[in-house]
């Protein structure tokens, strides 16, 4: 099994919530996109599991990027790191489309 790293830089000024939701809707048309989102969320969940309890509360009740985007948006709290992750995932996901 070989591994590779992808460094991806994009426009971080976009609002990622709608973009993530639209991207998730596109998964019915793209198996590779669906696999990417699933694997990316699994990796994110693994990394979050190492955080202190207080810092991973947002992730305890979400199962995918769509739920994460809705949780962040409805919280009304500026989750800068999570917004950055959502933005990058959305932009990288759209490159598959």
């Amino acid at each position: 099994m070989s591994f590779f790293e992808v460094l991806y830089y994009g426009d971080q000024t976009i609002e990622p919530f709608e973009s993530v939701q639209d991207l998730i809707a596109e998964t019915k048309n793209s198996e590779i996109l669906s696999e990417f989102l699933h694997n990316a969320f699994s990796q994110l969940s693994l990394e979050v599991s190492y955080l202190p309890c207080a810092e991973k509360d947002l992730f305890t009740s979400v199962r995918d990027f769509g739920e994460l985007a809705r949780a962040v948006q409805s919280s009304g709290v500026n989750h800068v790191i999570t917004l950055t992750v959502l933005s990058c995932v959305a932009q990288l996901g759209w490159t598959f489309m």
Side-chain angles (χ1 to χ4, degrees), residues 21 24 61-72:
Q21 297 301 339
I24 289 169
S61 63
V62 298
R63 295 173 294 159
D64 58 32
F65 284 113
E67 289 182 6
L68 179 60
R70 285 189 295 277
V72 171

Side-chain angles (χ1 to χ4, degrees), residues 47-61 79:
E47 293 302 319
V48 166
S49 71
Y50 296 112
L51 294 174
C53 289
E55 294 180 26
K56 60 183 173 183
D57 284 346
L58 181 63
F59 295 88
T60 58
S61 63
H79 295 273

Side-chain angles (χ1 to χ4, degrees), residues 9-76:
Y9 297 93
D11 181 3
Q12 302 267 328
T13 62
I14 65 162
E15 188 279 321
F17 303 122
E18 187 174 320
S19 186
V20 166
Q21 297 301 339
D22 291 344
L23 190 63
I24 289 169
E26 290 294 328
T27 60
K28 63 184 172 224
N29 301 320
S30 173
E31 187 175 318
I32 193 168
L33 175 62
S34 180
E35 187 175 329
F36 162 71
L37 290 174
H38 173 75
N39 290 339
F41 192 80
S42 293
Q43 275 304 128
L44 178 63
S45 297
L46 178 64
E47 293 302 319
V48 166
S49 71
Y50 296 112
L51 294 174
C53 289
E55 294 180 26
K56 60 183 173 183
D57 284 346
L58 181 63
F59 295 88
T60 58
S61 63
V62 298
R63 295 173 294 159
D64 58 32
F65 284 113
E67 289 182 6
L68 179 60
R70 285 189 295 277
V72 171
Q73 191 172 27
S74 67
S75 75

